[in-house]
């Protein structure tokens, strides 16, 4: 069952507007810049995220929390029908971090509440052994609500993310 109609109306309209805007952007760097400009306002919309969390507590069909996801703490909020972008909510327990990983595409992450840490790595070996990687930490930033960070694809985007605090945070 599609839950598009159960999404908060303003959020659905915003996502549809972003879809129309992004559809016209061909270059990946320009698309990333667009999202870097528009995402902070969404991240600061406490009312929207309160509504979404209430819908989860109330057992509403949106968001579909039973959908399979890469991480246990991941909830899909919106997936563009043309696969141009998706929006996901993550809830992080105190001290919870992902393993070091990469993605096949760039990503933009940001904090909704609390503090959220992004740790970036560079690969220090030639990649010839698929079972081994020598990594060096190159950057560490703690994002506050409304702030975003970029992860690039594959070896350019090796990273780890998580909650450096003793409180639950949302990203």
């Amino acid at each position: 069952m599609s839950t598009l109609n159960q999404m908060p109306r303003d959020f659905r309209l915003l996502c549809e507007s972003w879809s129309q805007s992004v559809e016209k952007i061909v270059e990946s760097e320009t698309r990333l810049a667009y999202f870097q400009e528009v995402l902070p306002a969404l991240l600061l919309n406490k009312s929207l995220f309160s509504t979404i969390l209430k819908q989860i507590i109330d057992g509403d069909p949106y968001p579909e929390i039973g959908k399979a996801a890469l991480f246990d703490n991941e909830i899909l909020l919106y997936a563009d029908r043309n696969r141009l972008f998706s929006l996901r909510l993550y809830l992080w327990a105190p001290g919870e971090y992902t393993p070091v990983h990469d993605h096949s595409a760039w990503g933009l992450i940001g904090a909704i509440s609390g503090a959220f840490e992004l740790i970036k790595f560079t690969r220090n070996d030639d990649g010839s052994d698929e079972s081994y990687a020598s990594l060096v930490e190159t950057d560490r930033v703690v994002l506050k609500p409304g702030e975003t960070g970029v992860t690039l694809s594959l070896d350019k985007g090796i990273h780890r993310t998580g909650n450096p605090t003793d409180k639950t945070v949302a990203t």
Side-chain angles (χ1 to χ4, degrees), residues 36-107:
Q36 284 177 297
E37 183 179 322
V38 299
L39 187 60
L42 176 64
L43 295 170
L44 293 172
N45 188 340
K46 298 285 187 210
S47 174
L48 169 68
F49 291 106
S50 291
T51 297
I52 290 171
L53 290 172
K54 183 178 181 325
Q55 287 179 263
I56 292 170
I57 291 167
D58 290 346
D60 291 352
Y62 177 84
E64 293 180 77
I65 60 170
K67 280 197 173 229
L70 184 59
F71 298 107
D72 291 342
N73 63 343
E74 178 180 338
I75 300 168
L76 179 64
L77 297 181
Y78 182 82
D80 178 75
R81 69 180 180 279
N82 294 319
R83 300 178 57 94
L84 297 172
F85 70 97
S86 64
L87 296 170
R88 297 157 192 275
L89 172 67
Y90 296 87
L91 301 174
W92 300 86
E96 181 179 15
Y97 281 81
T98 65
V100 175
H101 65 284
D102 65 7
H103 301 274
S104 60
W106 59 261

